[in-house]
Amino acid sequence: MKILAIAGSNSDTSINKQLVTYATTLFENAEIEIVDMNDFEMPIYKHQREVESGVPQQAIDFASKIDNADVLLVSLSEHNGTYSTAFKNVFDWTSRIKQRAVWNEKPMLLMATAPGGRGGLGVLEAAEKRFPLHGGNIVGTFTLPFFNDNFDKEAQKISNEEKDSELREKVSKISAVETILEK
C-alpha cells in the first residue's frame, strides 16, 4: 500500500505535519511519502495567469503524487477557520488540471489539529463539504484538540490514550477499505 501524507501547512514546525507523520507509523507494510507544502510553492492562482502561462509544473507534480498513492492522509492546519493559504493555492491550481478531480477518488483520512479546544474543527468541516466535490473519498475524519497537551513532541506520538485509540481505529478502517479495493 502506498500512502501519501499531506500536511496542509508550510510551517517548518507544523503540528499538522507532526500529526500526519505519526499517523503514517500506524500502518503496517506501507510505502510512505510525506509531502512538504514548501515543495509546491507557486504563484497565487489567478485565472489570467492560468490563461497566460498554464498550470504550473508543481501542481502537475502534486497531482501525480496523488495519482500514485493508494491512500491519502491529509492533516489540515486551520487559519481563520479554513485552509492555510499555502494549501489552498496548491488545491486551487491542482483543480485547474484538465480532466481530473483533485483527489481522484482515493480513500482519504482527513485530519486536523490545533492548540485550542476545537482542534481544527472549522477546517475539517470546510474540507468535508468541499473535497467530495473534487473527487474526495473521505473514509474518516479525526481531530486532535489541545495539541500541546495531547501530543508528546519528544516521542512524536499522541499521548492522550483515548484520542490515540480513536486515530488507530480510523487508520484500521481506511486500511480495510484499501484492502477491499485491492481485491
Side-chain angles (χ1 to χ4, degrees):
M1 177 179 355
K2 292 181 182 177
I3 297 172
L4 183 65
I6 302 167
S9 170
N10 62 348
S11 169
D12 293 335
T13 59
S14 169
I15 60 177
N16 279 280
K17 188 169 189 178
Q18 291 174 61
L19 176 61
V20 79
T21 300
Y22 171 64
T24 66
T25 69
L26 303 178
F27 288 84
E28 294 181 20
N29 302 319
E31 182 182 322
I32 309 290
E33 181 175 3
I34 300 170
V35 168
D36 185 334
M37 282 287 109
N38 292 301
D39 293 337
F40 299 96
E41 252 186 53
M42 55 193 123
I44 293 174
Y45 177 78
K46 178 167 83 172
H47 178 72
Q48 182 181 352
R49 186 173 284 134
E50 178 188 3
V51 169
E52 291 171 359
S53 305
V55 175
Q57 185 62 45
Q58 293 98 323
I60 294 165
D61 293 345
F62 183 78
S64 178
K65 288 184 179 300
I66 292 168
D67 294 345
N68 290 320
D70 298 312
V71 170
L72 304 176
L73 302 181
V74 181
S75 189
L76 298 168
S77 63
E78 184 174 278
H79 293 196
N80 297 316
T82 193
Y83 323 110
S84 71
T85 303
F87 175 81
K88 180 70 165 75
N89 195 48
V90 173
F91 179 75
D92 287 346
W93 275 114
T94 305
S95 76
R96 302 304 298 164
I97 299 172
K98 302 286 186 230
Q99 300 174 344
R100 77 161 284 119
V102 173
W103 304 114
N104 206 11
E105 300 300 327
K106 301 290 178 159
M108 175 188 297
L109 175 58
L110 189 55
M111 302 180 287
T113 190
R118 288 180 40 88
L121 195 56
V123 72
L124 274 185
E125 291 169 347
E128 280 185 284
K129 290 178 185 173
R130 175 57 44 194
F131 286 9
L133 302 175
H134 295 274
N137 177 9
I138 302 169
V139 175
T141 62
F142 175 80
T143 182
L144 182 65
F146 300 113
F147 179 84
N148 296 319
D149 297 330
N150 290 318
F151 194 89
D152 182 336
K153 291 182 183 179
E154 193 171 305
Q156 286 295 294
K157 65 180 207 166
I158 295 174
S159 55
N160 178 308
E161 289 182 23
E162 186 178 311
K163 293 304 285 184
D164 192 55
S165 178
E166 179 186 343
L167 179 58
R168 288 174 184 276
E169 184 180 309
K170 305 275 174 121
V171 164
S172 178
K173 182 178 177 184
I174 200 164
S175 293
V177 167
E178 179 51 31
T179 301
I180 290 167
L181 292 174
E182 287 177 348
K183 292 181 179 180

